[in-house]
């Protein structure tokens, strides 16, 4: 590549630097606001974490969830999850336990207006102690996943690139958590599973860009790191958009067709994919630049000092 062609390429990429830095500042500000929302609002923990009653019933196959739920909500004065089980007419009811038996409505009486033969197949109570253990285990799972990712990134990349990818992962998780805190949607095990899935998905985007940055640092050691980052982002942008776009289509289909049981999972994945694509570019590539990433960090023979 001759000097004039190189300069022309750099000029075309320079405008990306201002946009990239501005988006990084915006991401940091929004991340701080998200942490404030989480601290103030907290989460609307689902029955998986708080404990409650899980009852499986058998009804007439023609009865739908829209007929069961209003009766349950009116009787128990709380949100009741009505989930279709393995076969038609079988439903799983999930709701918070009412310790006082005098104030606890009889399930058969509550569902009597359906005018159907009702069979209670099984009923169990998830105690708050079990729920607390799930909270602790879920937090531990996130911590172990983050530490494992950090170890892998540190092994594969120089620590500056690894730090950028890790910060991008933290950014994505915080955004998803902030949405559930702000909206007060139920935070259950399916949402936790989505967050763990987001870690893997976002990491993929960050690794693709980081790998291209490392490659360009070796090929073009005389270039400025800002220009290297811009070139890496530009060369991977179309691939990132195609991957994210097709994945979003799948998640949207799951959101529409999956119904209430998968709503939390789908929403968490949708937000995670959007923020993961954004953070891989705005944070994953920019943070190593601020930490002083240079071509010398990937060259076997260091470059001579320039005056």
């Amino acid at each position: 590549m001759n000097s004039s062609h190189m300069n022309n390429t750099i000029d075309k990429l320079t405008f990306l630097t201002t946009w990239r830095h501005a988006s990084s500042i915006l991401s940091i500000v929004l991340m701080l606001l998200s942490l404030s929302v989480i601290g103030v609002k907290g989460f609307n923990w689902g029955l998986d974490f708080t404990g409650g009653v899980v009852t499986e019933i058998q009804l007439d196959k023609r009865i739908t969830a829209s007929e069961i739920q209003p009766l349950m909500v009116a009787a128990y004065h709380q949100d009741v999850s009505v989930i279709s089980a393995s076969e038609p007419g079988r439903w799983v009811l999930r709701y918070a336990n009412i310790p006082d038996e005098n104030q606890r409505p009889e399930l058969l009486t509550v569902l009597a207006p359906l005018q159907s033969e009702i069979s209670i197949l099984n009923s169990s109570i998830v105690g708050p102690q079990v729920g607390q253990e799930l909270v602790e285990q879920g937090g531990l799972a996130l911590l172990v996943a983050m530490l494992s990712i950090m170890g892998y990134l540190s092994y594969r990349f120089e620590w500056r690139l690894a730090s950028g990818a890790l910060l991008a992962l933290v950014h994505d998780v915080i955004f998803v958590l902030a949405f559930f805190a702000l909206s007060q949607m139920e935070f259950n095990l399916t949402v936790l599973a989505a967050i763990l899935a987001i870690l893997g998905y976002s990491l993929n985007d960050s690794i693709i860009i980081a790998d291209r940055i490392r490659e360009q640092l070796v090929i073009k050691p005389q270039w400025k790191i800002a220009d290297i980052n811009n070139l890496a982002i530009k060369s991977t942008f179309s691939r990132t958009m195609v991957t994210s776009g097709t994945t979003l289509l799948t998640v949207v289909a799951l959101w529409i067709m999956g119904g209430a049981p998968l709503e939390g999972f789908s929403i968490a994945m949708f937000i995670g994919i959007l923020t993961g694509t954004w953070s891989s570019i705005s944070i994953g590539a920019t943070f190593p630049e601020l930490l002083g990433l240079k071509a010398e960090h990937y060259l076997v023979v260091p470059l001579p000092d320039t005056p």
Side-chain angles (χ1 to χ4, degrees), residues 56 69 161 181 185 209 234 254 283 307:
E56 188 172 4
Q69 194 164 37
L161 276 177
M185 285 186 62
I209 295 177
K234 182 179 180 182
L254 187 64
I283 294 180

Side-chain angles (χ1 to χ4, degrees), residues 198-264:
I198 288 167
L199 290 178
Y201 183 88
S202 179
L203 179 63
N204 178 64
D205 273 349
S206 298
I207 285 179
I208 290 173
I209 295 177
D211 202 42
R212 187 57 59 89
I213 291 174
R214 179 178 60 178
E215 174 186 304
Q216 295 300 323
L217 283 172
V218 175
I219 297 175
K220 305 177 176 68
Q222 303 299 335
W223 279 35
K224 296 179 181 179
I225 183 60
D227 296 327
I228 290 290
N229 286 344
N230 293 337
L231 182 61
I233 292 171
K234 182 179 180 182
S235 61
T236 59
F237 186 78
S238 59
R239 175 181 177 178
T240 299
M241 290 299 102
V242 169
T243 303
S244 298
T246 53
T247 309
L248 279 176
L249 289 176
T250 304
V251 170
V252 169
L254 187 64
W255 188 352
I256 296 173
M257 304 298 294
L262 292 178
E263 183 180 24

Side-chain angles (χ1 to χ4, degrees), residues 245-284:
T246 53
T247 309
L248 279 176
L249 289 176
T250 304
V251 170
V252 169
L254 187 64
W255 188 352
I256 296 173
M257 304 298 294
L262 292 178
E263 183 180 24
F265 179 88
S266 304
I267 292 176
M269 285 296 297
F270 186 86
I271 298 172
I273 292 171
L274 291 180
T275 58
T277 304
W278 170 276
S279 65
S280 297
I281 297 173
S282 65
I283 294 180

Side-chain angles (χ1 to χ4, degrees), residues 55-266:
T55 303
E56 188 172 4
I57 61 174
Q58 180 75 45
L59 298 171
D60 190 297
K61 298 178 181 180
R62 294 170 294 180
I63 296 176
T64 63
S66 60
E67 297 176 85
I68 300 173
Q69 194 164 37
L71 296 175
M72 296 291 296
V73 171
Y76 288 89
H77 305 290
Q78 59 176 286
D79 290 333
V80 179
S81 176
V82 180
I83 304 171
S84 179
S86 57
E87 60 183 62
R90 180 174 291 190
W91 301 91
V92 176
L93 311 178
R94 300 167 64 93
Y95 51 93
N97 187 30
I98 302 176
D100 190 348
E101 294 184 2
N102 296 325
Q103 298 181 0
R104 186 191 308 161
E106 181 64 33
L107 183 59
L108 295 178
T109 304
V110 172
L111 299 179
L114 295 176
Q115 298 181 351
S116 169
E117 182 179 350
I118 303 170
S119 300
I120 299 179
L121 303 179
N122 60 71
S123 182
S124 59
I125 298 177
V126 180
Q129 181 61 36
V130 176
Q132 180 61 34
E133 290 178 0
L134 284 174
V135 173
E136 295 173 357
Q137 292 172 0
L140 182 61
L142 284 176
L143 178 61
V144 170
M146 294 293 285
L147 290 177
S148 300
I149 289 172
M150 182 172 63
Y152 167 75
L153 291 175
S154 299
Y155 169 77
R156 178 163 181 176
F157 299 105
E158 201 266 343
W159 70 268
R160 294 170 180 82
L161 276 177
S163 299
L166 189 63
L167 182 59
L169 292 181
V170 173
H171 167 277
D172 302 338
V173 171
I174 288 176
F175 267 58
V176 175
L177 293 177
F179 172 82
F180 279 87
L182 184 62
S183 66
Q184 287 296 291
M185 285 186 62
E186 181 179 297
F187 191 99
N188 51 34
L189 285 178
T190 60
V191 176
L192 178 61
I195 291 176
L196 292 173
I198 288 167
L199 290 178
Y201 183 88
S202 179
L203 179 63
N204 178 64
D205 273 349
S206 298
I207 285 179
I208 290 173
I209 295 177
D211 202 42
R212 187 57 59 89
I213 291 174
R214 179 178 60 178
E215 174 186 304
Q216 295 300 323
L217 283 172
V218 175
I219 297 175
K220 305 177 176 68
Q222 303 299 335
W223 279 35
K224 296 179 181 179
I225 183 60
D227 296 327
I228 290 290
N229 286 344
N230 293 337
L231 182 61
I233 292 171
K234 182 179 180 182
S235 61
T236 59
F237 186 78
S238 59
R239 175 181 177 178
T240 299
M241 290 299 102
V242 169
T243 303
S244 298
T246 53
T247 309
L248 279 176
L249 289 176
T250 304
V251 170
V252 169
L254 187 64
W255 188 352
I256 296 173
M257 304 298 294
L262 292 178
E263 183 180 24
F265 179 88
S266 304

